Amino acid sequence: MYNIRSCLSKTDENGMHFRKERNLTKMKRFYTILLALSLILALSLTALGAAGGRVRILVDGSPLNAPGAYIAEGGTTMVPLRALAEALGCQVDWDPETETVTILSGTAAEDAPERSALVVLDPGHGGGADGAVYGGVKEKDLALSIALRARTLLEDAGLSVLMTRADDRDVSLYERTDLANGQEADLFVSIHCNASLDHDDALGVYTCAYSEESAGWQLAETLYRTMQAATGAPGSGMEPRPHLAVLRTSRMPAALVECGFMSTPEELALLVQPAYQDRLARGIAAGVLDYLAQG
């Protein structure tokens, strides 16, 4: 319960925020100056029937349903905070742990920025699953290093990034997409390195998606282009891969990238270099940002 005159007189340009300490007697913030001024003009309080402590309240001419309102000793009108704020189109939230009431004006809610896109980066393999191994280099380690670098770039660009693993651990294929689906991610990018048993001179970037008709195909096309541009590597192709679990079970646009051929000594020598991993990460980040910009 708050003194309505006191509430309207205390303002803060960043919004309204009240802190309840023990008996919720300390008010921390309340509304913007402009909105407070408009409320003073719009709010009409009519105190009738002071006997018995009852008070009738009109907001913009309409009765306010606030049975807890009363006139305190000395003639001060006391009005329940939530009833008044919600009548004025505000959102009221209560945090029991910090004993804090937060009031967000309707205007502030409309002007609040939309949440940043949530991108899931999935470093392939991990734990007991090494992936391809050439010259003592494990695919799981390369994929993780590249993914961590891409995460930094995407976060610097203002996106939210969720990793299916941020260290060397076992994560099943279905756990990866369960995580992405459960968080309602906007994009899913699985990061791997390639190998060829038939061609020891195979080179380049490869991407794939569930099908050419899937939402992930455009993402795969964009990553294919931006990763080549960032690294100078050739393209080794694109194709639909409907049998890959992470592509089949993702509910959001999903693509898998192969950053280069570990089976080719020339390309493996590049893949282990931090500077080249930075370029791959820039290509992945650029592809994600370009795809999101396409709407």
Side-chain angles (χ1 to χ4, degrees):
M1 193 72 65
Y2 283 90
N3 182 326
I4 184 61
R5 186 179 301 279
S6 174
C7 287
L8 290 175
S9 65
K10 296 186 178 182
T11 62
D12 186 283
E13 64 180 5
N14 293 320
M16 305 182 294
H17 192 79
F18 295 89
R19 177 170 298 276
K20 176 182 178 184
E21 296 183 4
R22 296 189 179 181
N23 293 323
L24 197 57
T25 59
K26 183 178 178 182
M27 182 172 65
K28 187 178 179 182
R29 291 183 179 174
F30 195 64
Y31 235 155
T32 63
I33 294 175
L34 180 61
L35 184 55
L37 291 174
S38 68
L39 294 183
I40 294 173
L41 294 175
L43 181 62
S44 171
L45 295 178
T46 304
L48 298 176
R54 294 175 299 170
V55 61
R56 178 168 177 261
I57 302 169
L58 302 179
V59 179
D60 289 338
S62 300
L64 174 66
N65 182 21
Y70 66 96
I71 299 176
E73 185 176 352
T76 302
T77 303
M78 305 299 292
V79 182
L81 176 63
R82 180 179 293 275
L84 177 60
E86 291 182 346
L88 294 167
C90 301
Q91 176 181 322
V92 182
D93 293 311
W94 166 247
D95 185 345
E97 293 186 3
T98 61
E99 294 190 317
T100 301
V101 176
T102 301
I103 301 179
L104 185 64
S105 72
T107 301
E110 292 173 2
D111 293 341
E114 296 181 1
R115 74 168 179 86
S116 60
L118 174 59
V119 178
V120 173
L121 296 181
D122 172 43
H125 310 291
D130 292 336
V133 180
Y134 287 87
V137 180
K138 298 175 181 179
E139 181 186 357
K140 67 176 183 178
D141 296 329
L142 293 177
L144 179 60
S145 181
I146 295 165
L148 290 171
R149 294 165 192 267
R151 177 180 69 176
T152 298
L153 294 172
L154 290 171
E155 289 179 339
D156 287 346
L159 301 187
S160 298
V161 180
L162 186 64
M163 303 279 289
T164 57
R165 66 180 183 95
D167 51 24
D168 186 20
R169 67 177 64 194
D170 289 296
V171 185
S172 76
L173 296 177
Y174 295 104
E175 285 178 321
R176 297 167 192 260
T177 51
D178 283 348
L179 177 65
N181 293 335
Q183 293 296 317
E184 297 184 347
D186 296 287
L187 295 179
F188 181 95
V189 180
S190 191
I191 299 171
H192 293 256
C193 292
N194 219 336
S196 174
L197 300 178
D198 301 321
H199 304 283
D200 61 5
D201 58 350
L203 296 171
V205 171
Y206 166 96
T207 67
C208 59
Y210 177 75
S211 70
E212 293 186 29
E213 293 74 32
S214 69
W217 187 256
Q218 184 180 352
L219 174 61
E221 286 183 320
T222 304
L223 288 164
Y224 190 62
R225 170 177 52 80
T226 58
M227 290 179 69
Q228 289 181 73
T231 60
S236 65
M238 284 184 61
E239 62 181 335
R241 298 285 297 276
H243 300 300
L244 292 181
V246 294
L247 301 180
R248 186 180 71 251
T249 59
S250 295
R251 296 175 189 161
M252 68 292 301
L256 183 147
V257 303
E258 301 276 6
C259 296
F261 284 84
M262 297 177 64
S263 54
T264 302
E266 175 187 346
E267 196 148 65
L268 179 61
L270 287 174
L271 289 169
V272 298
Q273 295 178 15
Y276 191 73
Q277 293 176 12
D278 283 338
R279 290 160 65 183
L280 286 163
R282 284 198 295 272
I284 292 169
V288 167
L289 293 170
D290 282 3
Y291 177 84
L292 290 172
Q294 296 169 25

